[in-house]
CSV table of all heavy atoms in Angstrom, one decimal:
chain,number,residue,atom,x,y,z
Y,17,MET,N,89.7,108.1,100.8
Y,17,MET,CA,89.7,106.8,100.2
Y,17,MET,C,88.4,106.7,99.4
Y,17,MET,O,87.4,107.2,99.8
Y,17,MET,CB,89.8,105.7,101.2
Y,17,MET,CG,89.8,104.3,100.6
Y,17,MET,SD,90.3,103.0,101.8
Y,17,MET,CE,91.9,103.5,102.2
Y,18,ALA,N,88.5,106.1,98.2
Y,18,ALA,CA,87.4,105.9,97.3
Y,18,ALA,C,86.4,105.0,97.9
Y,18,ALA,O,86.7,104.0,98.6
Y,18,ALA,CB,87.8,105.4,96.0
Y,19,GLU,N,85.1,105.3,97.7
Y,19,GLU,CA,84.0,104.4,98.1
Y,19,GLU,C,84.0,103.1,97.3
Y,19,GLU,O,84.1,103.2,96.1
Y,19,GLU,CB,82.7,105.1,98.1
Y,19,GLU,CG,81.5,104.3,98.6
Y,19,GLU,CD,80.2,105.0,98.5
Y,19,GLU,OE1,80.1,106.1,97.9
Y,19,GLU,OE2,79.2,104.4,99.0
Y,20,ILE,N,83.8,102.0,97.9
Y,20,ILE,CA,83.6,100.7,97.2
Y,20,ILE,C,82.2,100.6,96.8
Y,20,ILE,O,81.3,100.9,97.6
Y,20,ILE,CB,84.0,99.6,98.1
Y,20,ILE,CG1,85.5,99.7,98.4
Y,20,ILE,CG2,83.7,98.2,97.5
Y,20,ILE,CD1,86.0,98.7,99.4
Y,21,THR,N,82.0,100.3,95.5
Y,21,THR,CA,80.7,100.1,94.9
Y,21,THR,C,80.5,98.7,94.5
Y,21,THR,O,81.4,97.9,94.5
Y,21,THR,CB,80.4,101.0,93.7
Y,21,THR,OG1,81.2,100.6,92.6
Y,21,THR,CG2,80.8,102.5,94.1
Y,22,LYS,N,79.3,98.3,94.0
Y,22,LYS,CA,79.0,97.0,93.5
Y,22,LYS,C,79.9,96.7,92.3
Y,22,LYS,O,80.1,95.5,91.9
Y,22,LYS,CB,77.5,96.8,93.3
Y,22,LYS,CG,77.0,97.6,92.1
Y,22,LYS,CD,75.5,97.3,91.9
Y,22,LYS,CE,74.9,98.1,90.8
Y,22,LYS,NZ,75.3,97.6,89.5
Y,23,ASP,N,80.3,97.7,91.6
Y,23,ASP,CA,81.1,97.6,90.4
Y,23,ASP,C,82.6,97.5,90.6
Y,23,ASP,O,83.4,97.4,89.7
Y,23,ASP,CB,80.8,98.7,89.4
Y,23,ASP,CG,79.3,98.6,88.9
Y,23,ASP,OD1,78.9,97.5,88.7
Y,23,ASP,OD2,78.7,99.7,88.9
Y,24,THR,N,83.1,97.7,91.9
Y,24,THR,CA,84.5,97.6,92.2
Y,24,THR,C,84.9,96.2,92.2
Y,24,THR,O,84.3,95.3,92.7
Y,24,THR,CB,84.7,98.2,93.7
Y,24,THR,OG1,84.1,99.5,93.8
Y,24,THR,CG2,86.2,98.2,94.0
Y,25,THR,N,86.1,95.9,91.5
Y,25,THR,CA,86.5,94.5,91.4
Y,25,THR,C,87.2,94.1,92.7
Y,25,THR,O,87.6,94.9,93.5
Y,25,THR,CB,87.6,94.4,90.3
Y,25,THR,OG1,88.7,95.1,90.6
Y,25,THR,CG2,87.0,94.8,88.9
Y,26,ILE,N,87.2,92.8,92.9
Y,26,ILE,CA,87.8,92.2,94.1
Y,26,ILE,C,89.3,92.6,94.2
Y,26,ILE,O,89.8,92.9,95.2
Y,26,ILE,CB,87.6,90.7,94.2
Y,26,ILE,CG1,86.1,90.3,94.2
Y,26,ILE,CG2,88.3,90.1,95.4
Y,26,ILE,CD1,85.2,90.9,95.3
Y,27,GLY,N,89.9,92.6,93.0
Y,27,GLY,CA,91.3,92.9,92.9
Y,27,GLY,C,91.5,94.4,93.4
Y,27,GLY,O,92.5,94.6,94.2
Y,28,ASP,N,90.7,95.3,93.0
Y,28,ASP,CA,90.8,96.7,93.4
Y,28,ASP,C,90.5,96.8,94.9
Y,28,ASP,O,91.2,97.5,95.6
Y,28,ASP,CB,89.8,97.6,92.7
Y,28,ASP,CG,90.3,97.8,91.3
Y,28,ASP,OD1,91.5,97.6,90.9
Y,28,ASP,OD2,89.5,98.3,90.4
Y,29,ILE,N,89.5,96.1,95.4
Y,29,ILE,CA,89.3,96.1,96.9
Y,29,ILE,C,90.5,95.6,97.7
Y,29,ILE,O,90.9,96.3,98.6
Y,29,ILE,CB,88.0,95.3,97.2
Y,29,ILE,CG1,86.8,95.9,96.6
Y,29,ILE,CG2,87.9,95.1,98.7
Y,29,ILE,CD1,85.5,95.0,96.7
Y,30,LEU,N,91.1,94.5,97.2
Y,30,LEU,CA,92.2,94.0,98.0
Y,30,LEU,C,93.4,94.9,97.9
Y,30,LEU,O,94.3,95.0,98.8
Y,30,LEU,CB,92.6,92.6,97.4
Y,30,LEU,CG,91.5,91.6,97.8
Y,30,LEU,CD1,91.9,90.2,97.1
Y,30,LEU,CD2,91.3,91.4,99.2
Y,31,ASN,N,93.6,95.7,96.8
Y,31,ASN,CA,94.6,96.7,96.6
Y,31,ASN,C,94.4,97.9,97.5
Y,31,ASN,O,95.3,98.4,98.1
Y,31,ASN,CB,94.8,97.1,95.2
Y,31,ASN,CG,95.5,96.1,94.3
Y,31,ASN,OD1,96.3,95.3,94.8
Y,31,ASN,ND2,95.2,96.0,93.1
Y,32,ILE,N,93.1,98.3,97.6
Y,32,ILE,CA,92.8,99.5,98.4
Y,32,ILE,C,92.7,99.2,99.8
Y,32,ILE,O,93.2,100.0,100.7
Y,32,ILE,CB,91.4,100.1,97.9
Y,32,ILE,CG1,91.4,100.5,96.5
Y,32,ILE,CG2,90.9,101.2,98.8
Y,32,ILE,CD1,90.0,100.8,95.9
Y,33,LYS,N,92.1,98.1,100.2
Y,33,LYS,CA,91.9,97.7,101.6
Y,33,LYS,C,92.2,96.2,101.8
Y,33,LYS,O,91.4,95.4,101.9
Y,33,LYS,CB,90.4,97.9,101.9
Y,33,LYS,CG,89.9,99.3,101.9
Y,33,LYS,CD,88.5,99.3,102.4
Y,33,LYS,CE,88.0,100.7,102.5
Y,33,LYS,NZ,86.6,100.8,103.1
Y,34,PRO,N,93.5,95.9,101.9
Y,34,PRO,CA,93.9,94.5,102.1
Y,34,PRO,C,93.2,93.9,103.3
Y,34,PRO,O,93.0,92.7,103.4
Y,34,PRO,CB,95.4,94.5,102.1
Y,34,PRO,CG,95.8,95.9,102.2
Y,34,PRO,CD,94.6,96.8,101.8
Y,35,GLU,N,92.9,94.7,104.3
Y,35,GLU,CA,92.3,94.3,105.5
Y,35,GLU,C,90.8,93.8,105.3
Y,35,GLU,O,90.2,93.2,106.2
Y,35,GLU,CB,92.3,95.3,106.6
Y,35,GLU,CG,91.5,96.6,106.2
Y,35,GLU,CD,92.3,97.7,105.4
Y,35,GLU,OE1,93.3,97.3,104.8
Y,35,GLU,OE2,91.9,98.8,105.4
Y,36,ALA,N,90.3,93.9,104.1
Y,36,ALA,CA,89.0,93.4,103.7
Y,36,ALA,C,89.0,91.9,103.4
Y,36,ALA,O,87.9,91.3,103.3
Y,36,ALA,CB,88.4,94.2,102.5
Y,37,ALA,N,90.1,91.3,103.2
Y,37,ALA,CA,90.2,89.9,102.8
Y,37,ALA,C,89.5,89.0,103.8
Y,37,ALA,O,88.7,88.1,103.3
Y,37,ALA,CB,91.7,89.5,102.7
Y,38,PRO,N,89.6,89.1,105.1
Y,38,PRO,CA,88.8,88.2,106.0
Y,38,PRO,C,87.3,88.3,105.8
Y,38,PRO,O,86.6,87.3,105.8
Y,38,PRO,CB,89.2,88.7,107.4
Y,38,PRO,CG,90.6,89.3,107.2
Y,38,PRO,CD,90.5,90.0,105.9
Y,39,ALA,N,86.8,89.5,105.5
Y,39,ALA,CA,85.4,89.7,105.3
Y,39,ALA,C,84.9,89.0,104.0
Y,39,ALA,O,83.9,88.4,103.9
Y,39,ALA,CB,85.0,91.1,105.2
Y,40,LEU,N,85.8,89.0,103.0
Y,40,LEU,CA,85.5,88.3,101.7
Y,40,LEU,C,85.6,86.8,101.9
Y,40,LEU,O,84.8,86.0,101.4
Y,40,LEU,CB,86.4,88.8,100.6
Y,40,LEU,CG,86.3,90.2,100.2
Y,40,LEU,CD1,87.4,90.7,99.3
Y,40,LEU,CD2,84.9,90.4,99.5
Y,41,LEU,N,86.5,86.4,102.7
Y,41,LEU,CA,86.7,84.9,103.0
Y,41,LEU,C,85.4,84.4,103.8
Y,41,LEU,O,85.0,83.3,103.5
Y,41,LEU,CB,87.9,84.6,103.8
Y,41,LEU,CG,89.2,84.8,103.1
Y,41,LEU,CD1,90.4,84.8,104.0
Y,41,LEU,CD2,89.4,83.8,102.0
Y,42,GLU,N,84.9,85.3,104.7
Y,42,GLU,CA,83.7,84.9,105.4
Y,42,GLU,C,82.5,84.6,104.5
Y,42,GLU,O,81.6,83.8,104.9
Y,42,GLU,CB,83.3,86.0,106.4
Y,42,GLU,CG,84.1,86.2,107.6
Y,42,GLU,CD,83.8,87.4,108.5
Y,42,GLU,OE1,82.7,87.9,108.3
Y,42,GLU,OE2,84.6,87.7,109.3
Y,43,ILE,N,82.4,85.3,103.4
Y,43,ILE,CA,81.2,85.0,102.5
Y,43,ILE,C,81.5,83.8,101.6
Y,43,ILE,O,80.6,83.5,100.7
Y,43,ILE,CB,80.8,86.3,101.7
Y,43,ILE,CG1,81.8,86.7,100.7
Y,43,ILE,CG2,80.5,87.4,102.6
Y,43,ILE,CD1,81.3,87.6,99.6
Y,44,GLY,N,82.7,83.2,101.7
Y,44,GLY,CA,82.9,82.0,100.8
Y,44,GLY,C,83.9,82.3,99.7
Y,44,GLY,O,84.1,81.4,98.9
Y,45,MET,N,84.5,83.4,99.6
Y,45,MET,CA,85.4,83.7,98.5
Y,45,MET,C,86.8,83.2,99.0
Y,45,MET,O,87.6,83.9,99.5
Y,45,MET,CB,85.5,85.2,98.2
Y,45,MET,CG,84.3,85.7,97.6
Y,45,MET,SD,84.6,87.3,96.7
Y,45,MET,CE,85.6,86.8,95.4
Y,46,HIS,N,87.0,81.9,98.8
Y,46,HIS,CA,88.3,81.3,99.3
Y,46,HIS,C,89.4,81.3,98.3
Y,46,HIS,O,90.5,80.9,98.6
Y,46,HIS,CB,88.0,79.8,99.7
Y,46,HIS,CG,87.0,79.8,100.8
Y,46,HIS,ND1,87.3,80.1,102.1
Y,46,HIS,CD2,85.6,79.4,100.8
Y,46,HIS,CE1,86.2,80.0,102.9
Y,46,HIS,NE2,85.2,79.6,102.1
Y,47,CYS,N,89.2,81.8,97.1
Y,47,CYS,CA,90.2,81.9,96.1
Y,47,CYS,C,90.5,83.4,95.7
Y,47,CYS,O,90.4,83.7,94.6
Y,47,CYS,CB,89.8,81.1,94.9
Y,47,CYS,SG,91.1,80.9,93.7
Y,48,LEU,N,90.8,84.2,96.7
Y,48,LEU,CA,91.0,85.6,96.4
Y,48,LEU,C,92.1,85.9,95.5
Y,48,LEU,O,92.1,86.9,94.8
Y,48,LEU,CB,91.2,86.4,97.8
Y,48,LEU,CG,90.0,86.4,98.7
Y,48,LEU,CD1,90.4,87.1,100.0
Y,48,LEU,CD2,88.8,87.0,98.1
Y,49,GLY,N,93.1,85.0,95.4
Y,49,GLY,CA,94.3,85.3,94.6
Y,49,GLY,C,94.2,84.8,93.2
Y,49,GLY,O,95.0,85.1,92.3
Y,50,CYS,N,93.1,84.0,92.9
Y,50,CYS,CA,93.0,83.5,91.5
Y,50,CYS,C,92.6,84.6,90.5
Y,50,CYS,O,91.9,85.5,90.9
Y,50,CYS,CB,92.1,82.3,91.4
Y,50,CYS,SG,90.4,82.6,91.7
Y,51,PRO,N,93.0,84.5,89.3
Y,51,PRO,CA,92.8,85.6,88.3
Y,51,PRO,C,91.3,85.9,88.1
Y,51,PRO,O,90.9,87.1,88.0
Y,51,PRO,CB,93.3,85.0,87.0
Y,51,PRO,CG,94.4,84.1,87.4
Y,51,PRO,CD,93.9,83.5,88.7
Y,52,SER,N,90.4,84.9,88.1
Y,52,SER,CA,89.0,85.2,87.9
Y,52,SER,C,88.4,86.0,89.1
Y,52,SER,O,87.6,86.9,88.9
Y,52,SER,CB,88.2,83.9,87.6
Y,52,SER,OG,88.3,83.1,88.7
Y,53,ALA,N,88.8,85.7,90.3
Y,53,ALA,CA,88.3,86.4,91.5
Y,53,ALA,C,88.8,87.8,91.4
Y,53,ALA,O,88.1,88.7,91.8
Y,53,ALA,CB,88.7,85.7,92.7
Y,54,GLN,N,90.0,88.0,91.0
Y,54,GLN,CA,90.6,89.4,90.9
Y,54,GLN,C,89.8,90.3,90.0
Y,54,GLN,O,89.7,91.5,90.3
Y,54,GLN,CB,92.0,89.3,90.5
Y,54,GLN,CG,93.0,88.7,91.4
Y,54,GLN,CD,93.2,89.5,92.6
Y,54,GLN,OE1,93.6,90.7,92.5
Y,54,GLN,NE2,93.0,89.0,93.8
Y,55,MET,N,89.2,89.7,89.0
Y,55,MET,CA,88.4,90.5,88.0
Y,55,MET,C,86.9,90.6,88.2
Y,55,MET,O,86.2,91.3,87.6
Y,55,MET,CB,88.7,90.0,86.6
Y,55,MET,CG,90.2,90.1,86.1
Y,55,MET,SD,90.9,91.7,86.3
Y,55,MET,CE,89.9,92.6,85.1
Y,56,GLU,N,86.5,89.8,89.2
Y,56,GLU,CA,85.1,89.7,89.6
Y,56,GLU,C,84.7,91.0,90.3
Y,56,GLU,O,85.5,91.5,91.1
Y,56,GLU,CB,84.8,88.5,90.4
Y,56,GLU,CG,83.4,88.2,90.7
Y,56,GLU,CD,83.3,86.9,91.5
Y,56,GLU,OE1,84.2,86.5,92.3
Y,56,GLU,OE2,82.3,86.2,91.3
Y,57,THR,N,83.5,91.5,90.1
Y,57,THR,CA,83.1,92.7,90.8
Y,57,THR,C,82.4,92.3,92.1
Y,57,THR,O,82.1,91.1,92.3
Y,57,THR,CB,82.0,93.5,90.0
Y,57,THR,OG1,80.8,92.7,89.9
Y,57,THR,CG2,82.5,94.0,88.7
Y,58,LEU,N,82.3,93.2,93.0
Y,58,LEU,CA,81.7,92.9,94.3
Y,58,LEU,C,80.3,92.4,94.1
Y,58,LEU,O,79.8,91.5,94.8
Y,58,LEU,CB,81.8,94.1,95.3
Y,58,LEU,CG,81.4,93.8,96.7
Y,58,LEU,CD1,82.4,92.8,97.3
Y,58,LEU,CD2,81.4,95.1,97.5
Y,59,GLY,N,79.6,93.1,93.2
Y,59,GLY,CA,78.2,92.7,92.9
Y,59,GLY,C,78.1,91.3,92.4
Y,59,GLY,O,77.2,90.5,92.8
Y,60,GLU,N,79.0,90.9,91.5
Y,60,GLU,CA,79.0,89.5,91.0
Y,60,GLU,C,79.3,88.5,92.1
Y,60,GLU,O,78.7,87.5,92.2
Y,60,GLU,CB,80.0,89.4,89.9
Y,60,GLU,CG,79.7,90.2,88.6
Y,60,GLU,CD,80.8,90.3,87.6
Y,60,GLU,OE1,82.0,90.2,88.0
Y,60,GLU,OE2,80.5,90.5,86.5
Y,61,ALA,N,80.3,88.9,93.0
Y,61,ALA,CA,80.6,88.0,94.1
Y,61,ALA,C,79.5,87.8,95.0
Y,61,ALA,O,79.2,86.7,95.5
Y,61,ALA,CB,81.9,88.5,94.8
Y,62,ALA,N,78.8,88.9,95.3
Y,62,ALA,CA,77.6,88.8,96.2
Y,62,ALA,C,76.5,87.9,95.6
Y,62,ALA,O,76.0,87.0,96.3
Y,62,ALA,CB,77.0,90.2,96.5
Y,63,ALA,N,76.3,88.0,94.3
Y,63,ALA,CA,75.3,87.2,93.6
Y,63,ALA,C,75.7,85.7,93.7
Y,63,ALA,O,74.9,84.8,94.0
Y,63,ALA,CB,75.1,87.7,92.2
Y,64,VAL,N,76.9,85.4,93.3
Y,64,VAL,CA,77.4,84.0,93.3
Y,64,VAL,C,77.4,83.4,94.7
Y,64,VAL,O,77.1,82.2,94.8
Y,64,VAL,CB,78.9,84.0,92.7
Y,64,VAL,CG1,79.5,82.6,92.9
Y,64,VAL,CG2,78.8,84.3,91.2
Y,65,HIS,N,77.7,84.2,95.7
Y,65,HIS,CA,77.8,83.6,97.0
Y,65,HIS,C,76.5,83.8,97.9
Y,65,HIS,O,76.5,83.5,99.1
Y,65,HIS,CB,79.0,84.2,97.8
Y,65,HIS,CG,80.3,83.7,97.1
Y,65,HIS,ND1,80.8,82.5,97.3
Y,65,HIS,CD2,81.1,84.4,96.3
Y,65,HIS,CE1,81.9,82.4,96.6
Y,65,HIS,NE2,82.1,83.5,95.9
Y,66,GLY,N,75.4,84.3,97.2
Y,66,GLY,CA,74.1,84.5,97.9
Y,66,GLY,C,74.2,85.5,99.1
Y,66,GLY,O,73.5,85.3,100.1
Y,67,VAL,N,74.9,86.6,98.9
Y,67,VAL,CA,75.0,87.6,99.9
Y,67,VAL,C,74.3,88.8,99.5
Y,67,VAL,O,74.4,89.2,98.3
Y,67,VAL,CB,76.5,87.9,100.2
Y,67,VAL,CG1,76.7,89.0,101.2
Y,67,VAL,CG2,77.2,86.6,100.6
Y,68,ASP,N,73.6,89.5,100.4
Y,68,ASP,CA,73.0,90.8,100.1
Y,68,ASP,C,74.0,91.8,99.8
Y,68,ASP,O,74.9,92.1,100.6
Y,68,ASP,CB,72.1,91.2,101.3
Y,68,ASP,CG,71.4,92.5,101.1
Y,68,ASP,OD1,72.0,93.6,101.4
Y,68,ASP,OD2,70.2,92.4,100.6
Y,69,ILE,N,73.9,92.4,98.6
Y,69,ILE,CA,74.9,93.4,98.2
Y,69,ILE,C,75.0,94.6,99.0
Y,69,ILE,O,76.1,95.1,99.3
Y,69,ILE,CB,74.8,93.7,96.7
Y,69,ILE,CG1,75.9,94.6,96.2
Y,69,ILE,CG2,73.4,94.4,96.4
Y,69,ILE,CD1,77.3,94.0,96.3
Y,70,ASP,N,73.8,95.1,99.5
Y,70,ASP,CA,73.8,96.3,100.4
Y,70,ASP,C,74.6,96.0,101.7
Y,70,ASP,O,75.3,96.9,102.2
Y,70,ASP,CB,72.4,96.7,100.6
Y,70,ASP,CG,71.7,97.2,99.3
Y,70,ASP,OD1,72.5,97.9,98.5
Y,70,ASP,OD2,70.5,97.0,99.1
Y,71,GLU,N,74.3,94.8,102.3
Y,71,GLU,CA,75.0,94.5,103.5
Y,71,GLU,C,76.5,94.4,103.3
Y,71,GLU,O,77.3,94.8,104.1
Y,71,GLU,CB,74.5,93.2,104.1
Y,71,GLU,CG,73.1,93.4,104.7
Y,71,GLU,CD,72.5,92.0,105.2
Y,71,GLU,OE1,73.3,91.1,105.4
Y,71,GLU,OE2,71.3,92.0,105.4
Y,72,LEU,N,76.9,93.7,102.2
Y,72,LEU,CA,78.3,93.6,101.8
Y,72,LEU,C,79.0,94.9,101.6
Y,72,LEU,O,80.1,95.2,102.0
Y,72,LEU,CB,78.5,92.6,100.7
Y,72,LEU,CG,79.9,92.2,100.3
Y,72,LEU,CD1,80.6,91.6,101.5
Y,72,LEU,CD2,79.9,91.2,99.1
Y,73,LEU,N,78.3,95.8,100.9
Y,73,LEU,CA,78.8,97.1,100.6
Y,73,LEU,C,79.1,97.9,101.9
Y,73,LEU,O,80.1,98.5,102.1
Y,73,LEU,CB,77.9,97.9,99.7
Y,73,LEU,CG,78.0,97.6,98.2
Y,73,LEU,CD1,76.9,98.3,97.5
Y,73,LEU,CD2,79.3,98.1,97.7
Y,74,ALA,N,78.1,97.8,102.8
Y,74,ALA,CA,78.2,98.5,104.1
Y,74,ALA,C,79.5,98.0,104.8
Y,74,ALA,O,80.2,98.7,105.4
Y,74,ALA,CB,77.0,98.3,104.9
Y,75,LYS,N,79.6,96.7,104.8
Y,75,LYS,CA,80.8,96.0,105.5
Y,75,LYS,C,82.1,96.5,104.9
Y,75,LYS,O,83.0,96.9,105.6
Y,75,LYS,CB,80.6,94.5,105.5
Y,75,LYS,CG,81.7,93.8,106.3
Y,75,LYS,CD,81.5,92.3,106.2
Y,75,LYS,CE,81.4,91.8,107.7
Y,75,LYS,NZ,81.1,90.4,107.8
Y,76,MET,N,82.2,96.5,103.5
Y,76,MET,CA,83.4,96.8,102.8
Y,76,MET,C,83.8,98.3,103.1
Y,76,MET,O,84.9,98.6,103.2
Y,76,MET,CB,83.3,96.6,101.3
Y,76,MET,CG,83.2,95.1,100.9
Y,76,MET,SD,84.8,94.3,101.2
Y,76,MET,CE,84.3,93.2,102.5
Y,77,ASN,N,82.8,99.1,103.1
Y,77,ASN,CA,83.0,100.6,103.3
Y,77,ASN,C,83.3,101.0,104.7
Y,77,ASN,O,83.7,102.1,105.0
Y,77,ASN,CB,81.9,101.4,102.7
Y,77,ASN,CG,82.0,101.5,101.1
Y,77,ASN,OD1,83.1,101.9,100.6
Y,77,ASN,ND2,81.0,101.0,100.4
Y,78,SER,N,83.0,100.1,105.7
Y,78,SER,CA,83.2,100.4,107.1
Y,78,SER,C,84.6,99.9,107.5
Y,78,SER,O,85.0,100.2,108.6
Y,78,SER,CB,82.1,99.7,107.9
Y,78,SER,OG,82.2,98.3,108.0
Y,79,ILE,N,85.2,99.1,106.7
Y,79,ILE,CA,86.5,98.5,107.1
Y,79,ILE,C,87.6,99.6,106.9
Y,79,ILE,O,87.6,100.3,106.0
Y,79,ILE,CB,86.9,97.3,106.2
Y,79,ILE,CG1,85.9,96.2,106.6
Y,79,ILE,CG2,88.3,96.8,106.4
Y,79,ILE,CD1,86.0,94.9,105.7
């Protein structure tokens, strides 16, 4: 399976690892299905939600 990076879009993460949805909801991404969230990168989401990108990457890649 491909490694998730800060440039991976939320849409791609949900396609690759649908089981990652709860972790994204935990950081405040409550609109995972809306078009803008689907095109947002993990790095952008971390910045918007005030989450450390390295911690979020580790969590996404461990799921």
Side-chain angles (χ1 to χ4, degrees):
M17 182 169 296
E19 181 180 8
I20 294 172
T21 70
K22 67 180 180 75
D23 297 317
T24 307
T25 65
I26 300 303
D28 285 344
I29 292 170
L30 294 174
N31 285 330
I32 296 167
K33 295 184 176 187
E35 62 274 17
L40 294 170
L41 291 170
E42 284 176 16
I43 69 162
M45 291 198 70
H46 298 287
C47 186
L48 295 177
C50 67
S52 60
Q54 292 287 307
M55 298 305 297
E56 187 173 33
T57 66
L58 190 63
E60 292 167 338
V64 168
H65 295 282
V67 175
D68 181 271
I69 185 60
D70 293 323
E71 290 178 15
L72 187 54
L73 279 170
K75 185 176 236 180
M76 291 292 108
N77 283 304
S78 70
I79 295 174

